[in-house]
Amino acid sequence: MPEPTLSFADRIKARFGERAAVLAQPRGETTVEVAPPDWLEVVRSLRDEPEFAFEQLMDLCGVDYLGYGDDEWDTSDVTSEGFSRGVEGLGPGRFKWENRPTGRGPDKRFAVVVHLLSVRHNRRVRLRCFATDHDLPVVASLVDLYPVANWFEREAFDLYGIIFEGHPDLRRILTDYGFVGHPFRKDFPMIGNVEVLYDAERRRVVYQPVTIEPRVNVPRVVREDSRWQQAAAEQPQQAKK
């Protein structure tokens, strides 16, 4: 009898062992988590070994998992029209930095996510690498393996503050000169840190600390299952009558 063919996820596990953990495969999409010390070696093997042949890097981005899984929306109270309102307003970015919540935070916060494509095998894979330090997140650069990663990594550095070790020219690419902070971090104030205005006396554009007070916008959100929640909420009232 012919031996059963291993799935792609099983081949990843067999090839890399503990260095690459296959997390999930929803909708046939494979996600592999790689530790920072093994990042370059695993990506190089996925590119060069004929069994994988992921010759193209399609995308690279940063992710901030601060507040991941926390819900600031009130989903237990809905109106008869099927709307519910967010009421807490304590999520990351909705407060002044000096008044920020002092929770422990996630064990893993900053991650680099890469999407690779194998034209030879008509297959895609998603790789994720978590930085080990929250204060100074560092991940090895992939520019030497995939030159197209150059601007992707500069974007992740600009928006998330992730340092790509070995990058040939790591500097901001989207924000202005002298920009303070990294705007895609979850704890970056939603109102920003500075504001720009034209000073008539100096006859030039100047920067100053932002004068807008932090506020929480509470939009009305339609939820697909709100009618069932409303029906469940009305049952105890009907029982009392």
Side-chain angles (χ1 to χ4, degrees):
M1 293 179 60
E3 295 183 0
T5 304
L6 292 177
S7 66
F8 174 66
D10 290 336
R11 282 186 282 138
I12 290 287
K13 295 176 183 178
R15 170 62 181 84
F16 299 106
E18 296 181 355
R19 291 177 297 168
V22 178
L23 299 180
Q25 303 174 68
R27 299 174 298 278
E29 300 176 358
T30 303
T31 300
V32 180
E33 186 170 312
V34 183
D38 304 315
W39 182 237
L40 282 178
E41 180 185 353
V42 170
V43 175
R44 182 181 289 108
S45 298
L46 290 173
R47 184 196 66 174
D48 295 342
E49 295 181 9
E51 180 181 5
F52 303 111
F54 286 100
E55 61 268 65
Q56 291 191 23
L57 183 146
M58 306 302 296
D59 188 27
L60 181 149
C61 67
V63 182
D64 182 1
Y65 285 89
L66 180 66
Y68 181 76
D70 294 337
D71 188 7
E72 62 176 324
W73 294 96
D74 181 8
T75 57
S76 60
D77 238 354
V78 294
T79 66
S80 58
E81 289 83 13
F83 291 93
S84 61
R85 288 182 175 271
V87 294
E88 296 181 16
L90 296 177
R94 297 186 182 274
F95 40 77
K96 287 186 176 181
W97 177 247
E98 58 270 20
N99 299 328
R100 67 190 184 278
T102 56
R104 179 177 61 87
D107 295 329
K108 297 179 179 179
R109 177 174 174 182
F110 294 106
V112 173
V113 177
V114 173
H115 291 259
L116 302 180
L117 169 66
S118 172
V119 177
R120 182 187 306 178
H121 301 301
N122 189 25
R123 181 180 293 117
R124 297 176 185 266
V125 66
R126 180 187 300 112
L127 306 177
R128 183 171 65 180
C129 179
F130 277 98
T132 56
D133 189 347
H134 293 186
D135 297 326
L136 185 65
V138 179
V139 175
S141 173
L142 298 181
V143 172
D144 288 342
L145 300 179
Y146 299 99
V148 72
N150 190 325
W151 281 19
F152 287 128
E153 291 182 350
R154 284 182 59 186
E155 182 181 59
F157 162 71
D158 191 355
L159 300 180
Y160 292 94
I162 299 174
I163 306 298
F164 290 89
E165 188 176 13
H167 190 285
D169 186 24
L170 192 62
R171 53 194 170 95
R172 292 185 183 271
I173 193 173
L174 294 177
T175 56
D176 197 4
Y177 298 106
F179 189 89
V180 178
H182 303 281
F184 275 19
R185 287 190 173 189
K186 294 295 180 63
D187 53 16
F188 187 85
M190 297 182 71
I191 59 173
N193 288 309
V194 296
E195 60 188 20
V196 183
L197 53 88
Y198 179 76
D199 190 315
E201 294 182 0
R202 303 180 188 178
R203 296 183 179 181
R204 64 181 177 86
V205 173
V206 297
Y207 291 82
Q208 67 181 26
V210 65
T211 57
I212 303 173
E213 285 297 321
R215 59 190 184 277
V216 177
N217 294 324
V218 185
R220 295 169 67 86
V221 179
V222 179
R223 300 185 181 277
E224 296 180 359
D225 58 350
S226 60
R227 52 179 175 165
W228 310 119
Q229 294 181 2
Q230 180 65 24
E234 291 176 350
Q235 282 181 359
Q237 299 178 4
Q238 294 175 356
K240 292 179 181 179
K241 294 180 180 179

